[in-house]
């Protein structure tokens, strides 16, 4: 059985689960799970598979914020975001609220360096996605 879960990091608690339909994937189950939850005021994080316009709109309409992973599976959007960051990086993100975090993570017997840059600039119309 394949499940999609909503997890509260603060309380270390599963808030809800939805079974993924046979011959389907998380993209169809995530909206059903989000419908079950009161999202207002929350920050929702979803991996790259859940980075879909309809899912982002559902979260936004529920008065929540989101952090969606973006990889090469959305090549147009990925290129637009990459270009945006490269352009604003050369300008030192002047006029854009941002924060940077860097850490070393231990995973089994290996280490990896993880870095994140968060900018509070984007709007729902800043980028467009097409495959």
């Amino acid at each position: 059985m394949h499940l999609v879960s909503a997890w509260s990091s603060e309380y270390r608690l599963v808030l809800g689960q939805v079974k993924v339909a046979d011959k389907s994937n998380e993209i169809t189950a995530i909206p059903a799970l989000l419908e079950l939850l009161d999202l207002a005021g929350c920050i929702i994080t979803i991996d790259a598979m859940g980075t879909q316009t309809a899912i982002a709109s559902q979260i936004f309409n529920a008065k929540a914020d989101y952090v969606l992973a973006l990889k090469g599976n959305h090549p147009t959007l990925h290129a637009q975001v990459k270009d945006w960051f490269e352009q604003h990086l050369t300008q030192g993100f002047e006029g854009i609220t941002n924060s940077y975090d860097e850490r070393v993570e231990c995973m089994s017997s290996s280490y990896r360096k993880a870095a994140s840059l968060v900018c509070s600039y984007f709007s729902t119309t800043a980028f467009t996605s097409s495959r």
Side-chain angles (χ1 to χ4, degrees):
M1 181 172 16
H2 187 176
L3 299 172
V4 173
S5 302
W7 172 259
S8 169
S9 296
E10 183 176 355
Y11 297 107
R12 302 180 55 82
L13 178 71
V14 174
L15 302 174
Q17 292 182 318
V18 171
K19 181 182 182 291
V20 175
D22 293 338
K23 299 184 182 182
S24 187
N25 59 36
E26 291 93 345
I27 295 172
T28 59
I30 292 170
L33 177 59
L34 294 174
E35 276 296 317
L36 299 174
L37 303 169
D38 178 7
L39 304 177
C42 295
I43 300 172
I44 310 301
T45 60
I46 301 177
D47 67 11
M49 182 175 276
T51 301
Q52 305 292 322
T53 303
I55 292 172
S57 294
Q58 183 179 2
I59 295 168
F60 179 81
N61 291 334
K63 304 202 181 332
D65 293 311
Y66 54 84
V67 177
L68 304 177
L70 180 60
K71 296 185 347 187
N73 60 330
H74 293 279
T76 302
L77 181 60
H78 186 267
Q80 290 174 337
V81 171
K82 183 178 181 218
D83 291 346
W84 185 91
F85 272 97
E86 288 173 352
Q87 174 191 352
H88 288 87
L89 178 62
T90 63
Q91 301 165 0
F93 294 98
E94 185 176 326
I96 298 170
T97 303
N98 67 85
S99 63
Y100 179 80
D101 179 56
E102 192 174 294
R103 65 188 176 282
V104 175
E105 298 176 343
C106 178
M107 301 178 68
S108 300
S109 61
S110 64
Y111 294 90
R112 76 174 186 166
K113 187 176 184 178
S116 62
L117 173 64
V118 177
C119 296
S120 59
Y121 172 80
F122 301 121
S123 70
T124 57
T125 59
F127 303 101
T128 58
S129 176
S130 62
R131 288 188 168 196

